[in-house]
């Protein structure tokens, strides 16, 4: 059965797959529709194909098989569509003015005469063109979304497909569906393969086999690997495609000749297979780091012992022998690694290096792979540290490609000494970009703990460089007396050594910073988390949840994953109230006073910060934490104050960039 109408309130929408429960108004009735409606908003006009069903709890519903987005059929629905937050620069008030001014001609104006929008007071010609571009891009995007949705390919890839293939995207995909492997991250090969088979591509088609190989190599990178043994790859591809060994061998040879992959022979007859950009990045890193290290030591401090004594005296510290060896290594080598667990004095070494080289009028630059790590570095040293993405200005190039462009030129870093903290989290491509930006003669100090979680991206850079034994590495093993009082630090080292951790009951001192609570049921664990966050920690040490407490979980999914924990914590700590506005988005309720986290880099969003003076700038980055201060349902905007006091306004359409942060994953805790 086919029905046509307008989406009303969205009662539920799964953020991952777009499964939706919504009110739907036709000419004859208002009913509930259920099914997969990705990227749909209130006010959208749809043609739905499906059937009526009766739910045992919710009664009569229309179950959707497929859908098509239509241009709004009435002025009222057009105004609602323009006001729903998806068209850049248009809120309810502006939508009302546009429809009132142009009436039935509104869509024509957006498509063919956008400059006329500037006749409305408050809309400049520049803004008019921007609105029209957003309107038309949204519409063209929907044609692609509808096309891909038929083959089970999620809408999250639609924008990238449109950006790379343009208006002829559907035509290009129909010619060669496997093109999606190269341009859309995270797609399911089997779904694309089905599309190709439906179109008529044969099982042993060369394009199919080549794409199966590249897909397999991309897939291993999601688990952190840079390459794979050839024999393992062939076995995987055979199972994936059900084609002969010989056909795969031929495709590998051709891909290698065309520089899309690299075949590298190792000792003992082992042959490794890389995607070309991964091989090129790994090779660049190896060559550049050796080149930097073997260059003349131009920044060496000549009166080193005198300067070091002066630094110790001025800072009122006494460096340990290990710490001195680390600083000597930095002075004697252009590239140096300092590694050790928590409490081993890495921060004191960094501060001493800064003081020494600035004493000698050298420029020191501090950086780290994540926003939180950079913030901690700034707080510990009283010197600004930047994220590597911001320092190198590479965020946008990463968002434009599925596999990063190893030939992308980054701006050189103006520095005599570059100190990179938390290097264990730096992946293959980020390290490649960093090394390309460093002048010969600049000192590079890599600081990190190989026992921390590895980078989210491919590669184990810090561990591999240490294991190569080509770069001077100082291992810090001694836990300093003050740090040793902390059971958190003591237990971190015990766990790394394979020893049982000390609980609060077993401790011989009164340093209460580590507690182990034994629970065997999901319900019991949730109860403990909620009671600790709501009142027990407040009573114990005056810890306020919104200022001092962060809940961590290893996973997003499941009853103890961050999704369910966030719902439970929001309900306890920031419950629904008539005095707090809220906005439901993709099945998630955002409420004033909610704790949130930015989950993708946004280099363009404008912010202001008012402290001693008003500052302004642009850019909010993956991992930054904040609080929702205001939700304006009329203007369809949300005001967020981040923990560094930046304030930014988000359109409702931008809320996909944030998620609740009452509980976050351990990986996200590293990135924040």
């Amino acid at each position: 059965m086919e029905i046509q109408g307008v989406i009303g309130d969205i009662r539920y929408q799964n953020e991952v797959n777009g499964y939706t429960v919504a009110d739907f108004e036709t000419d004859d009735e208002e009913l509930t529709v259920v099914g997969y409606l990705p990227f749909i908003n209130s006010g959208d006009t749809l043609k739905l194909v499906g059937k009526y069903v009766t739910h045992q709890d919710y009664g009569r519903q229309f179950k959707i098989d497929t859908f098509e987005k239509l241009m709004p059929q009435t002025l009222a629905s057009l105004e609602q569509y323009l006001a729903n937050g998806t068209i850049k620069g248009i809120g309810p008030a502006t939508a009302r003015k546009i429809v009132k001014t142009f009436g039935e001609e509104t869509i024509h104006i957006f498509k063919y005469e956008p400059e006329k929008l500037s006749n409305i007071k408050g809309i400049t010609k520049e803004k008019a063109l921007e609105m029209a571009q957003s309107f038309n891009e949204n519409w063209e995007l929907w044609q692609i979304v509808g096309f891909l949705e038929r083959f089970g390919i999620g809408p999250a890839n639609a924008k990238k497909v449109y950006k790379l293939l343009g208006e002829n995207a559907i035509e290009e995909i129909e010619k060669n569906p496997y093109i999606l492997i190269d341009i859309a991250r995270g797609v399911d090969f089997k779904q694309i393969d089905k599309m190709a088979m439906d179109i008529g591509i044969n099982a042993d088609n060369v394009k199919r086999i080549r794409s199966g190989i590249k897909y397999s190599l991309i897939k291993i990178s999601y688990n952190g690997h840079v390459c794979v043994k050839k024999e393992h790859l062939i076995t995987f591809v055979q199972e994936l495609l059900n084609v002969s060994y010989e056909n795969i061998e031929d495709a590998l040879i051709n891909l290698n000749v065309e520089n899309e992959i690299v075949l590298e022979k190792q000792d003992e007859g082992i042959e490794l297979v890389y995607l070309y950009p991964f091989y090129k990045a790994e090779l660049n890193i190896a060559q550049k780091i050796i080149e930097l290290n073997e260059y003349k030591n131009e920044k060496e401090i000549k009166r080193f012992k005198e300067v070091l004594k002066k630094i110790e005296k001025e800072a009122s510290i006494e460096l340990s022998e290990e710490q001195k060896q680390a600083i000597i290594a930095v002075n004697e080598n252009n590239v140096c690694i300092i590694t050790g667990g928590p409490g081993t004095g890495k921060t004191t070494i960094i501060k001493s290096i800064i003081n020494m080289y600035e004493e000698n009028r050298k420029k020191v630059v501090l950086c780290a792979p994540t926003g939180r790590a950079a913030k901690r570095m700034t707080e510990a040293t009283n010197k600004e540290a930047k994220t590597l993405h911001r320092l190198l200005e590479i965020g946008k190039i990463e968002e434009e490609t599925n596999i990063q462009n190893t030939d992308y030129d980054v701006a050189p870093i103006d520095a005599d000494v570059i100190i990179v903290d938390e290097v264990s989290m730096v992946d293959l491509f980020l390290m490649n970009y960093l090394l390309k930006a460093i002048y010969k003669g600049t000192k590079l100090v890599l600081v990190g703990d190989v026992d921390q979680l590895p980078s989210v991206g491919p590669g184990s850079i810090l561990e591999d460089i240490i294991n190569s034994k080509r770069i001077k590495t100082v291992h810090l093993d001694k836990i300093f007396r003050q740090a040793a009082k902390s059971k958190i630090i003591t237990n971190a080292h015990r766990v790394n050594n394979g020893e049982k951790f000390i609980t609060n009951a077993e401790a011989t001192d009164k340093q209460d910073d580590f507690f182990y609570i034994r629970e065997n049921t999901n319900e019991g664990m949730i109860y403990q988390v909620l009671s600790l966050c709501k009142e027990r920690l407040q009573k114990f040490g005056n810890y306020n949840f919104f200022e001092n407490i962060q809940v961590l979980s290893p996973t997003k999914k499941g009853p103890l994953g961050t999704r369910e924990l966030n719902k439970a914590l929001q309900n306890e700590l920031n419950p629904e109230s008539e005095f707090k506005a809220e906005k439901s988005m993709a099945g998630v309720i955002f409420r004033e006073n909610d704790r949130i986290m930015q989950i993708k880099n946004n280099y363009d969003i404008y912010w202001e910060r008012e402290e001693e003076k008003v500052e302004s700038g642009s850019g909010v980055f993956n991992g930054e934490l904040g609080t929702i201060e205001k939700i304006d349902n009329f203007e369809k905007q949300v005001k967020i104050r981040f923990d560094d006091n930046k304030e930014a306004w988000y359109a409702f359409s931008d809320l996909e960039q944030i998620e609740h942060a009452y509980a976050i994953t351990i990986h996200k805790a590293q990135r924040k």
Side-chain angles (χ1 to χ4, degrees):
M1 183 175 289
E2 183 180 294
I3 62 174
Q4 187 171 310
V6 179
I7 290 285
D9 289 337
I10 294 177
R11 301 183 188 180
Y12 170 78
Q13 192 169 56
N14 185 294
E15 60 184 289
V16 177
N17 60 21
Y19 185 82
T20 303
V21 179
D23 294 334
F24 192 71
E25 188 174 343
T26 70
D27 290 339
D28 302 320
E29 63 175 330
E30 186 172 317
L31 66 152
T32 300
V33 295
V34 295
Y36 294 96
L37 294 174
F39 282 0
I40 285 296
N41 294 281
S42 297
D44 287 345
T45 302
L46 306 179
K47 179 163 66 177
L48 307 177
V49 177
K51 57 182 177 290
Y52 286 100
V53 297
T54 302
H55 191 281
Q56 60 180 5
D57 294 323
Y58 303 113
R60 182 171 175 265
Q61 298 177 334
F62 188 84
K63 188 175 181 181
I64 303 161
D65 292 328
T66 62
F67 77 96
E68 180 183 348
K69 189 170 179 180
L70 306 172
M71 280 292 182
Q73 306 296 302
T74 67
L75 292 182
S77 62
L78 177 58
E79 182 181 326
Q80 191 177 359
Y81 170 72
L82 293 175
N84 68 14
T86 58
I87 310 300
K88 190 174 181 180
I90 302 180
T94 305
R96 197 176 307 117
K97 290 178 186 175
I98 291 171
V99 173
K100 185 177 179 180
T101 303
F102 298 108
E104 301 287 350
E105 293 293 307
T106 299
I107 292 173
H108 173 87
I109 294 295
F110 271 104
K111 283 190 165 187
Y112 306 111
E113 299 181 89
E115 64 280 357
K116 287 188 177 180
L117 291 168
S118 62
N119 294 338
I120 296 174
K121 187 177 180 182
I123 300 179
T124 63
K125 281 193 176 181
E126 184 180 354
K127 191 175 180 182
L129 294 174
E130 190 178 68
M131 288 174 175
Q133 183 181 353
S134 179
F135 179 92
N136 291 316
E137 282 182 358
N138 265 275
W139 201 255
E140 287 162 2
L141 171 66
W142 273 109
Q143 311 313 307
I144 298 169
V145 170
F147 174 76
L148 295 178
E149 192 270 338
R150 288 183 294 159
F151 300 98
I153 296 172
N157 290 301
K159 286 184 179 177
K160 179 175 280 188
V161 172
Y162 173 75
K163 191 172 186 180
L164 293 174
L165 299 182
E167 296 177 2
N168 297 321
I170 293 175
E171 184 181 331
E172 293 294 322
I173 294 165
E174 285 180 331
K175 286 180 188 173
N176 176 20
Y178 297 109
I179 196 173
L180 292 169
I181 294 294
D182 294 326
I183 62 177
R185 180 179 173 85
V187 298
D188 188 331
F189 180 84
K190 290 182 179 178
Q191 294 172 335
I192 292 173
D193 203 31
K194 180 182 181 303
M195 181 194 299
M197 296 296 193
D198 290 345
I199 290 169
I201 290 177
N202 295 326
D204 58 356
N205 184 284
V206 175
K207 290 179 182 177
R208 179 173 185 259
I209 298 171
R210 288 163 63 107
S211 289
I213 291 169
K214 288 194 283 185
Y215 163 75
S216 303
L217 291 170
I218 292 169
K219 192 174 177 67
I220 67 153
S221 75
Y222 296 159
N223 293 322
H225 302 297
V226 174
C227 60
V228 65
K229 289 182 180 178
K230 180 181 172 182
E231 60 190 273
H232 293 167
L233 175 66
I234 290 176
T235 300
F236 183 86
V237 175
Q238 277 184 304
E239 292 176 359
L240 179 71
L241 302 180
N242 193 25
V243 293
S244 70
Y245 185 99
E246 292 74 21
N247 282 344
I248 298 171
E249 273 276 20
D250 288 344
L252 285 169
I253 292 167
N254 289 330
L255 286 168
N256 186 47
V257 169
E258 294 169 16
N259 280 338
E260 292 198 50
I261 66 166
V262 173
L263 300 172
E264 183 181 73
K265 289 187 177 178
Q266 300 280 300
D267 296 335
E268 302 174 358
I270 295 173
E271 196 165 10
L272 300 177
V273 187
Y274 294 76
L275 281 167
Y276 180 78
F278 287 81
Y279 179 82
K280 185 74 180 294
E282 191 170 86
L283 186 64
N284 287 349
I285 290 169
Q287 290 176 340
K288 184 68 176 178
I289 208 161
I290 294 299
E291 186 180 84
L292 286 171
N293 197 46
E294 293 181 350
Y295 197 75
K296 180 182 176 183
N297 191 354
E298 294 179 339
K299 313 299 181 185
E300 183 180 15
I301 297 173
K302 302 301 182 185
R303 297 177 297 103
F304 177 77
K305 289 184 179 178
E306 294 174 35
V307 176
L308 186 56
K309 282 183 180 178
K310 182 181 178 183
I311 294 302
E312 284 186 281
K313 184 177 180 181
E314 289 178 351
S316 301
I317 56 170
E318 186 176 343
L319 296 167
S320 70
E321 199 55 40
E322 265 190 351
Q323 289 175 317
K324 287 180 182 176
Q325 288 304 313
I327 298 168
I328 290 169
V330 171
N331 193 50
E332 292 180 349
N333 297 273
N334 283 334
V335 183
C336 179
I337 295 171
I338 300 170
T339 183
T344 54
K346 296 192 295 293
T347 300
T348 301
I349 293 170
I350 291 172
K351 285 160 59 172
S352 299
I353 293 169
I354 294 168
N355 292 338
M356 283 185 59
Y357 284 92
E358 288 189 342
E359 176 78 16
N360 278 260
R361 298 182 180 179
K362 306 293 185 189
K363 183 177 180 180
V364 181
V365 167
L366 308 183
C367 54
T370 70
R372 181 56 184 159
K375 186 179 179 184
R376 280 200 306 266
M377 205 178 186
T378 299
E379 291 167 348
T381 62
N382 290 319
K383 181 178 174 63
E384 183 189 13
K386 293 182 177 180
T387 65
L388 284 166
H389 285 82
R390 177 165 256 172
L391 179 67
L392 301 170
E393 298 179 355
I394 59 172
K396 291 184 179 180
I397 192 73
E398 288 190 348
E399 291 169 5
E400 289 170 4
T401 53
N402 184 32
I403 299 172
Q404 286 91 332
N405 177 9
T406 51
D407 296 322
Y408 177 71
D409 290 324
V410 292
I413 301 169
D414 178 20
D416 297 302
V417 181
I418 299 169
I419 304 176
V420 189
D421 200 6
E422 303 286 9
V423 180
S424 63
M425 289 187 278
V426 177
D427 68 19
L428 181 79
F429 291 103
L430 195 51
M431 179 59 77
N432 181 44
Y433 292 139
L434 171 64
L435 291 171
K436 289 180 69 157
I438 300 176
Y439 287 114
K440 291 178 185 177
T442 300
K443 283 187 177 292
L444 175 63
V445 183
L446 304 175
V447 183
D449 178 0
V450 290
D451 292 319
Q452 284 197 5
L453 287 172
S455 63
V456 177
S460 299
I461 302 302
L462 180 63
E463 186 177 7
D464 288 348
I465 295 175
I466 292 172
N467 291 340
S468 75
K469 301 189 185 325
R470 295 290 300 273
I471 301 300
K472 177 65 179 179
T473 301
V474 179
H475 296 270
L476 304 173
D477 300 311
K478 178 185 173 184
I479 305 176
F480 282 82
R481 188 181 305 166
Q482 192 63 30
K485 292 179 182 179
S486 165
K487 290 197 288 293
I488 295 173
I489 291 175
T490 301
N491 282 329
H493 287 270
R494 289 179 68 88
V495 169
N496 284 339
N497 294 331
E499 301 168 8
K500 181 182 175 183
F501 58 67
I502 301 169
T503 67
N504 43 299
E506 300 166 328
T508 56
D509 57 46
K510 298 295 182 182
Q511 179 79 12
D512 292 321
D513 66 355
F514 181 96
F515 295 89
Y516 174 68
I517 300 171
R518 185 182 295 276
E519 281 289 352
N520 297 317
T521 66
N522 291 340
E523 294 77 11
M525 285 184 250
I526 291 171
Y527 168 77
Q528 292 287 357
V529 170
L530 294 179
S531 63
L532 283 164
C533 292
K534 192 172 182 182
E535 51 193 25
R536 284 160 59 194
L537 286 171
Q538 180 82 43
K539 291 177 181 177
F540 171 75
N542 197 29
Y543 296 115
N544 175 275
F545 180 87
F546 292 94
E547 295 175 4
N548 313 113
I549 299 172
Q550 181 64 66
V551 178
L552 304 180
S553 172
T555 181
K556 282 187 173 185
K557 299 178 180 179
L560 296 171
T562 56
R563 288 175 185 160
E564 293 303 318
L565 284 171
N566 271 316
K567 290 177 186 176
L569 286 163
Q570 182 195 42
N571 190 52
E572 286 290 325
L573 300 168
N574 189 30
E576 182 179 4
S577 165
E578 62 179 301
F579 302 108
K580 288 182 283 193
E582 57 184 51
K583 167 64 180 172
S584 178
M585 196 77 176
V588 176
I589 295 173
F590 290 108
R591 188 174 292 140
E592 289 175 348
N593 297 340
D594 271 346
R595 285 291 285 161
I596 60 89
M597 174 187 276
Q598 179 82 8
I599 58 172
K600 64 181 291 187
N601 291 332
N602 184 332
Y603 288 79
D604 301 317
I605 195 163
Y606 175 80
W607 54 261
E608 290 185 348
R609 176 166 44 218
E610 187 172 353
E611 292 177 341
E612 293 180 3
K613 61 178 183 178
V614 177
E615 297 178 67
S616 64
S618 62
V620 178
F621 301 96
N622 186 5
E624 292 198 50
L625 291 166
T627 302
I628 293 177
E629 287 203 331
K630 182 177 177 60
I631 295 177
D632 187 335
N633 281 301
F634 182 75
E635 291 294 337
K636 298 187 181 298
Q637 294 185 103
V638 174
K639 181 183 181 183
I640 298 173
R641 178 187 288 273
F642 290 92
D643 286 357
D644 60 358
N645 289 325
K646 292 195 302 275
E647 290 185 347
W649 283 94
Y650 284 60
F652 281 177
S653 56
D654 291 330
L655 293 182
E656 63 178 5
Q657 298 176 25
I658 66 170
E659 64 182 25
H660 284 123
Y662 296 94
I664 61 177
T665 62
I666 293 166
H667 260 116
K668 280 293 185 185
Q670 280 202 163
R671 294 194 66 80
K672 77 185 181 69

